[in-house]
Amino acid sequence: MTAPDLLTVGEALVSLRSAGPLAAGGPLTMHLAGAESNVAVGVARLGHRAAWAGRVGADEFGEYVLRQLRAEGVAVDGVSRDPDRPTGLMFLERRTADLTRVQYHRAGSAGSALDVEDLRAPLTAGARMLHLTGITPALSDTARAATRWAAEAAAGAGIPVCLDVNHRARLWSRAAAREALTPLAGYASIVIASTDELDLVGDPGADESTVVAELFRRGVDTVLVKLGADGARAHARDGVRHTGALTVTAVDTVGAGDAFTAGYLSGWFDGLDLAGRLRRAATLGAFAVSSPGDWEGLPRRAELSLLDGHEAGSVIR
Amino acid sequence: MTAPDLLTVGEALVSLRSAGPLAAGGPLTMHLAGAESNVAVGVARLGHRAAWAGRVGADEFGEYVLRQLRAEGVAVDGVSRDPDRPTGLMFLERRTADLTRVQYHRAGSAGSALDVEDLRAPLTAGARMLHLTGITPALSDTARAATRWAAEAAAGAGIPVCLDVNHRARLWSRAAAREALTPLAGYASIVIASTDELDLVGDPGADESTVVAELFRRGVDTVLVKLGADGARAHARDGVRHTGALTVTAVDTVGAGDAFTAGYLSGWFDGLDLAGRLRRAATLGAFAVSSPGDWEGLPRRAELSLLDGHEAGSVIR
Amino acid sequence: MTAPDLLTVGEALVSLRSAGPLAAGGPLTMHLAGAESNVAVGVARLGHRAAWAGRVGADEFGEYVLRQLRAEGVAVDGVSRDPDRPTGLMFLERRTADLTRVQYHRAGSAGSALDVEDLRAPLTAGARMLHLTGITPALSDTARAATRWAAEAAAGAGIPVCLDVNHRARLWSRAAAREALTPLAGYASIVIASTDELDLVGDPGADESTVVAELFRRGVDTVLVKLGADGARAHARDGVRHTGALTVTAVDTVGAGDAFTAGYLSGWFDGLDLAGRLRRAATLGAFAVSSPGDWEGLPRRAELSLLDGHEAGSVIR
Amino acid sequence: MTAPDLLTVGEALVSLRSAGPLAAGGPLTMHLAGAESNVAVGVARLGHRAAWAGRVGADEFGEYVLRQLRAEGVAVDGVSRDPDRPTGLMFLERRTADLTRVQYHRAGSAGSALDVEDLRAPLTAGARMLHLTGITPALSDTARAATRWAAEAAAGAGIPVCLDVNHRARLWSRAAAREALTPLAGYASIVIASTDELDLVGDPGADESTVVAELFRRGVDTVLVKLGADGARAHARDGVRHTGALTVTAVDTVGAGDAFTAGYLSGWFDGLDLAGRLRRAATLGAFAVSSPGDWEGLPRRAELSLLDGHEAGSVIR
Amino acid sequence: MTAPDLLTVGEALVSLRSAGPLAAGGPLTMHLAGAESNVAVGVARLGHRAAWAGRVGADEFGEYVLRQLRAEGVAVDGVSRDPDRPTGLMFLERRTADLTRVQYHRAGSAGSALDVEDLRAPLTAGARMLHLTGITPALSDTARAATRWAAEAAAGAGIPVCLDVNHRARLWSRAAAREALTPLAGYASIVIASTDELDLVGDPGADESTVVAELFRRGVDTVLVKLGADGARAHARDGVRHTGALTVTAVDTVGAGDAFTAGYLSGWFDGLDLAGRLRRAATLGAFAVSSPGDWEGLPRRAELSLLDGHEAGSVIR
Amino acid sequence: MTAPDLLTVGEALVSLRSAGPLAAGGPLTMHLAGAESNVAVGVARLGHRAAWAGRVGADEFGEYVLRQLRAEGVAVDGVSRDPDRPTGLMFLERRTADLTRVQYHRAGSAGSALDVEDLRAPLTAGARMLHLTGITPALSDTARAATRWAAEAAAGAGIPVCLDVNHRARLWSRAAAREALTPLAGYASIVIASTDELDLVGDPGADESTVVAELFRRGVDTVLVKLGADGARAHARDGVRHTGALTVTAVDTVGAGDAFTAGYLSGWFDGLDLAGRLRRAATLGAFAVSSPGDWEGLPRRAELSLLDGHEAGSVIR
């Protein structure tokens, strides 16, 4: 197990998508889902070495998860198979043209039973960056402890940590999230959040600049604030930089944030400056929202410029 | 057969939908269609007791219609099976992105053979409201007589009548429609029409205020004028009220008017004031146009607020 | 309009097929159906010039029928478009693995309004053979008269007539069929029937040899008795010949009889002897039953030997 | 809530079916599953009044289950919605042409939390027969207690009980099953089992006649032993009767046993003698195995004779 | 082979379309493709006699191409079957909502082996117009020679030639295209180009008016400049005329240019003035972009006015 | 690149499958194909380390091939991307229930341009076994040379070689095949052939025992003769052993031979005796023929006993 560029840790799920209301009983299509694995795929598609660590069931869905990750070139040496718990599921229904609704079947899943022992080997193998999200600590006590341990171990080993707050309201309250995530952010070099998630790594109700200042004080280098269709704002120690989103036809916003993160980290691995990292982040976000699926439309390296200068309806022939 | 909140009467059809031009021969999907059954489903989804009465063939499509209505919780005790006539069909093709075209195969159908005897039992069972449309009297002489009888019987029994003008140009002329519908409107408490249908329950070419005034004079309480993307205008005895349409991404306008009616009647059953009834009507219309299918996307009660405050691309998780 | 080898006359329908029970509401696929058009397609695929004459609606389904016939190279110059009647429909459901059920929506169809005028031009153009079935006279009085006229006109013009009895129990009684078909058979050179249809062109209950003898007496040259999986028996003036069916995996028996007829007529156009005609008839029957669809699996000329010497599971590569 | 002919109690699940290996990630289709609801549907399709009682989640899958049951005319007044537990799921994959594999996600499901309170109202409403299976007691302690209570309450109220042993090896051991089911059988009038399940309501390893004799001694009237493709054997107090299975093309054996039970009970409701009940049981079994789906192919009353005298490939037209 | 109104010459391909990235491995749908055959279909749908000449493989895809052209009523008498080369393929993937990508497998195809001999018979049969595109000369030396010969032969026989520049950057450079197309344009009556293609029939970098003036000098009568969503500009000897594009919802821009050409030529066959020809061209373009497929959504004559006065979401019933 | 257990070399293709005749134009599904990659997948599924070496295009289909191989855990470090040639395609149509037909588009493909340089690195990395087939030398001169070189290099390095004759009649004649394959067999330890392929590694028309004796003389250890539904016969130096095929329902014979080989080699890697190797070979063959797809139904190690003792229609639950 050679050290990857990026190590991500979390729960990978099987997402079963319905094109209409679930209660109507239409067909479901199967997909790999999970914020951390999305980031790993995004980074791997661009040619970086990415690994994902976590726990999946010793069932058919666990096989499916592994097949998808391997297909995308994400290393899975560090994945545990849990013989006693099923792989987590989620159901995603397009309720109306504007509204997608998620139903989780992940309570008691293999992924939520993640513990410290699952992560020792992957962490020992090392990486240029460790990526964590605020979803994993919401899954269980052991998963929260494992996330904490991983952040600490990485920091101790000089591996920078990227933390995406990623609040899931169906999994825990904002108060519980804040209690777990604020200490976690102390180990991070990069913190990523949407505007309404920022105070989950700071004091309740604190404004953006206050939260950022405090994160800087605690050792964070960069704070990325995702603004949806308005792009993103990056707070670095030497100033603030904004990037707009690319103009594309949005068909599926799920996974857009993970794509943004993957683009940013890819730029970081390539040694780009902040502007370059943000540009790549915005590019991957544009691919994500203009393609169906959480990660299926992400670009390979040769495709990075595909959306440049093309308007809707373009044909390359 | 306990009395439902809403009794609707009409023809329920099997709608076979093609995603492209029919002549291209692609696959067809099967759906329940019919303005009156759409309203019954919309009302039943919100927890009211709804019944539909009419006639279907003793064929497989008749079975299908009954299975769909029962699935939605619409009472079908009052449905007759016609051993000699087929269940009516319609074919709906998406001809271009902007244009949907309907081809009816309902001439000689079981539903068009509706007669007074089919409606005696349902009317006797009673209801809090009877809903009729201007489609049924266009189907045949017996259907026209049955509609007239039902309106009269309901009025006689103190059951308020809701009439949606719903002009179908392929079934009859405006003159023929006016001749049948104007007397019918005299039995109604609520009359619903689009702007270009209003004079089918009044004098040819009469303007909105003239038609409304005359309807009030004849005993109508409320006149709802549907304005499409501009919402609707309600004329009540104590004034006029306008409601805007919710801002949603429109993907299928078929059934939007029926959804509007169902929302209005649901509000009426719940004892809401006019503003509340219109708000619910607009909400159901918004669900209808932002979902594929005539009625498949209508909300259950717990979903009524789903579209509030969400913009396109929202994900609930 | 040059004279084709084969002219067929009848009703072509749009067949909507369901893979399971219709009442379950699954998707439907669209197909061209009709015994006479099936024969025309079978003959055209083998490189003969075939024409089909009849009446279709001026609707989208009429367009579909014409598109399919043209695609198969069947001449449609002699087809009338009926502005007032719809193209006939049939619904075909796979009720169980063993049982297929048909529901017709052809009453009042354009095809059933066929009349003598529709056939004058096609008959005048001539052909080497005219093919008729016992379905057409069952459709309406005018269709019966038109069939009779066509047989008479062909016989008068020296064009041999092939008549397939093809009894449809849902369209008429055996007595009514016998009354119409027996005189028709008097114009035929070739009569085709299954064993239980034979006495529809003879006396009720008459046995095979009696019916055949009487047909010979009336001028028929060849009587083909279809025996299903047991092949077929041909009665010619100089003796009786049997052909077995090819051993294939049967997946869809609909259209097998029409394929048999097409093969026989193709052999006749090629000047094959009786044995050769029967062999080709059996070959086409084998293609029909081992392929889904009424005619979709029929062979082109270069494919005639494909099934020779191949067992189930063969791969040509 | 009027008393139905048949009351069944158990867990209804959403079954997600894959046409190939699950790990390959193909599309899934949604179906209603559950041995007891299968029996209810089979009985309702034949025109008897059937009710199903149990617990489903307050989620979209619970809605789906209710929609399907209502569509089939099964009364669901006695169904509880559990706000805290999800509706149970199962995944069914066609692993090879010969082998279907089931993966349950029903641990902690709403259905498995069934308790006595859920059944009081349905039992009080009464029925002509109560149907239970050996699956329900395997789900949880409360479900086992509820099943026991229902059997006892029915027996006390003079409602005959039908018990299908239905051993599910993935849910519990044979020893545990025997411990729960043997006392349950004491309340039953009808006991149904396959040959290898018989000793789960008797002594371990006891032979058929011994088990039957003991069941008779304990008050059971009829013991039905399912023999798969060899039909079934009925032990009644006045002798033993065998029925063969109908010869059909088997495409899906799932649900065949439930269909058999439904046919038997339908015959019982119709007052048929044992031979008649067995014939109907065999007929429903034949429909089940020759149609895809657990219950989707079951016949309505007018279809009961459809398979008589038809061989593979028959077409009704 | 009677003379058609329009003769087109080129390569017809089988286009395999994927709804998402090809590398993801989803299903592909089969379509007929080819700029010249698109124009032939568009013209034939409007009731003109159209013929297509070219070369397809003696393989199954060649059969498919012929079936599609015949279905659309395009004469294929002049098509050659090449026993040694496969029918050309192209793969079209919807890469993102805004971007479609084409991958050709046409090197060495039958169509690219087009030579002069293939065109002698079609040209001898005559036509009211010959349509060529700048794609054919890019396919091979023989195809370039054949195109040149056809233009020359037509001009010699008094058949006007229409040339659509249609530059395909993946097939050849702009310099190579200019070298071949500039002389070709000398035989044309009508030249069609997008703004960035204009100087491929003139001097490199020449502006529109210069190119047009030179084309007029060389004998061209009309130069049509396609402006995408901005409509088109027609240069005739007596002035310049602009037509706007119809306002429709664009779902597939592929084939829009060919539809425009077909509309223009149809107007020409109907003897319309320039304004009428441009209006029809714009109408066909609108159908093309608002329907999926290269040509599948093109109108029949009775449908020409369908888009007039309809806004998005219209339903004709 | 650590040494795998199995190294296979050849051409991997994208197979586009149609459920019916290609000329009918139905949808196509995408699959990985190639005899050698099939064997690699079969071995990898059982937990052995497998690698595949060859050349694919730098196109989307090349990406697809790599994604599929990686998903299955087959190492692809040794795969070259050819920037100038497309990935090879094949089309596989189910022509009738009994007959599958293949159409190759692999002439000039990247895979057929395989040369010695492509194989140096993979061979240098070593393996416990090298697997080659008689397809690769049929593709081109360079591919033939590369195959020869690989066999020689492996033999020189003490890596046993397995050669499957796998004659493809559409690619070359028997004489040409014999000329290339007979010398190749001299490097092999294991030779696999069907009965009609045996004399392609011996004298024309030589019988089985003669060919086997000569192969033994030339150093081959084991000759496996595939007998289809009759199983296989293994000639070893110490005698002949026969294995029957498992009784399963055959749905797709494509890939059965490759599955057999994979099973045999897996047994060899596990150190099983000849009987054990043949049993596993037969088991994998049974999975292959009873599942759709060339390799998709192959078992993982825990599934090896799934087909034991199960008859058609079994359900594991």
Side-chain angles (χ1 to χ4, degrees), chain B residues 6-311:
Chain B
L6 178 70
L7 171 65
T8 69
V9 165
E11 179 171 23
L13 302 137
V14 170
S15 166
L16 296 168
R17 284 184 170 227
S18 166
L22 268 182
L28 299 169
T29 53
M30 206 183 298
H31 306 268
L32 169 69
E36 303 84 5
S37 51
N38 289 348
V39 173
V41 168
V43 161
R45 285 226 174 154
L46 292 172
H48 310 284
R49 282 167 296 118
W52 177 83
R55 192 184 275 218
V56 298
D59 51 14
E60 299 305 308
F61 290 125
E63 290 293 331
Y64 174 78
V65 165
L66 292 177
R67 290 187 77 252
Q68 293 300 104
L69 286 169
R70 284 194 305 247
E72 293 298 327
V74 174
V76 294
D77 316 67
V79 179
S80 315
R81 302 296 293 271
D82 188 321
D84 300 321
R85 296 179 184 84
T87 303
L89 302 177
M90 58 181 273
F91 294 88
L92 198 145
E93 61 181 329
R94 179 63 69 113
R95 184 57 187 82
T96 72
D98 300 319
L99 188 70
T100 295
R101 192 161 55 179
V102 173
Q103 184 175 326
Y104 291 117
H105 281 238
R106 71 201 296 182
S109 69
S112 67
L114 183 81
D115 69 24
V116 170
E117 293 313 309
D118 295 322
L119 301 183
R120 282 196 202 281
L123 257 296
T124 304
R128 293 176 61 200
M129 173 78 74
L130 171 69
H131 178 64
L132 301 171
T133 79
I135 302 169
T136 317
L139 300 178
S140 70
D141 291 350
T142 62
R144 190 157 50 252
T147 316
R148 179 75 174 263
W149 178 88
E152 212 175 324
I159 302 171
V161 174
C162 173
L163 173 69
D164 187 343
V165 172
N166 241 330
H167 184 59
R168 290 286 180 269
R170 294 202 167 179
L171 298 181
W172 58 355
S173 68
R174 293 181 69 85
R178 186 178 294 109
E179 190 183 326
L181 299 181
T182 303
L184 210 54
Y187 299 105
S189 297
I190 306 169
V191 168
I192 305 176
S194 57
T195 45
D196 62 345
E197 289 172 342
L198 256 189
D199 79 343
L200 298 178
V201 286
D203 291 327
D207 67 8
E208 185 169 324
S209 58
T210 311
V211 173
V212 169
E214 174 67 11
L215 288 172
F216 280 171
R217 205 194 48 75
R218 297 176 63 206
V220 172
D221 285 324
T222 317
V223 179
L224 300 172
V225 184
K226 294 180 290 188
L227 307 168
D230 293 329
R233 188 160 44 231
H235 298 267
R237 293 191 176 273
D238 58 356
V240 178
R241 179 175 276 273
H242 175 264
T243 182
L246 278 70
T247 304
V248 292
T249 302
V251 295
D252 184 354
T253 61
V254 181
D258 304 325
F260 178 88
T261 299
Y264 185 86
L265 294 177
S266 165
W268 190 87
F269 291 130
D270 280 352
L272 302 187
D273 62 10
L274 182 59
R277 298 198 294 269
L278 288 174
R279 203 175 314 118
R280 189 167 292 172
T283 297
L284 262 72
F287 271 95
V289 301
S290 64
S291 310
D294 299 13
W295 51 266
E296 286 88 337
L298 295 181
R300 294 190 306 276
R301 189 164 282 260
E303 296 175 320
L304 274 173
S305 61
L306 266 187
L307 300 181
D308 296 353
H310 283 297
E311 50 191 24

Side-chain angles (χ1 to χ4, degrees), chain F residues 39 56 87 95 119 190 216 245:
Chain F
V39 173
V56 298
T87 303
R95 184 56 188 80
L119 302 184
I190 306 169
F216 280 170

Side-chain angles (χ1 to χ4, degrees), chain F residues 240-256:
Chain F
V240 178
R241 178 174 275 272
H242 175 264
T243 182
L246 277 71
T247 305
V248 292
T249 301
V251 296
D252 184 352
T253 61
V254 181

Side-chain angles (χ1 to χ4, degrees), chain A residues 221-244:
Chain A
D221 286 325
T222 316
V223 180
L224 301 171
V225 184
K226 293 179 289 187
L227 307 168
D230 293 330
R233 188 161 44 233
H235 297 267
R237 293 192 176 271
D238 58 355
V240 178
R241 178 175 276 272
H242 175 264
T243 182

Side-chain angles (χ1 to χ4, degrees), chain E residues 46-66:
Chain E
L46 292 172
H48 309 284
R49 283 167 295 118
W52 177 83
R55 192 184 275 218
V56 297
D59 51 14
E60 299 305 308
F61 290 126
E63 291 293 331
Y64 175 79
V65 165
L66 292 177

Side-chain angles (χ1 to χ4, degrees), chain C residues 248-249 251 290-291 297-299 303 306 311-317, chain F residues 21 23 95-102 104 168-170 253-255:
Chain C
V248 292
T249 301
V251 295
S290 63
S291 310
L298 294 181
E303 296 175 320
L306 265 188
E311 49 191 25
S314 294
V315 183
I316 304 180
R317 57 184 165 191
Chain F
R95 184 56 188 80
T96 72
D98 300 318
L99 188 70
T100 295
R101 193 161 54 179
V102 173
Y104 291 117
R168 290 288 181 266
R170 295 203 167 178
T253 61
V254 181

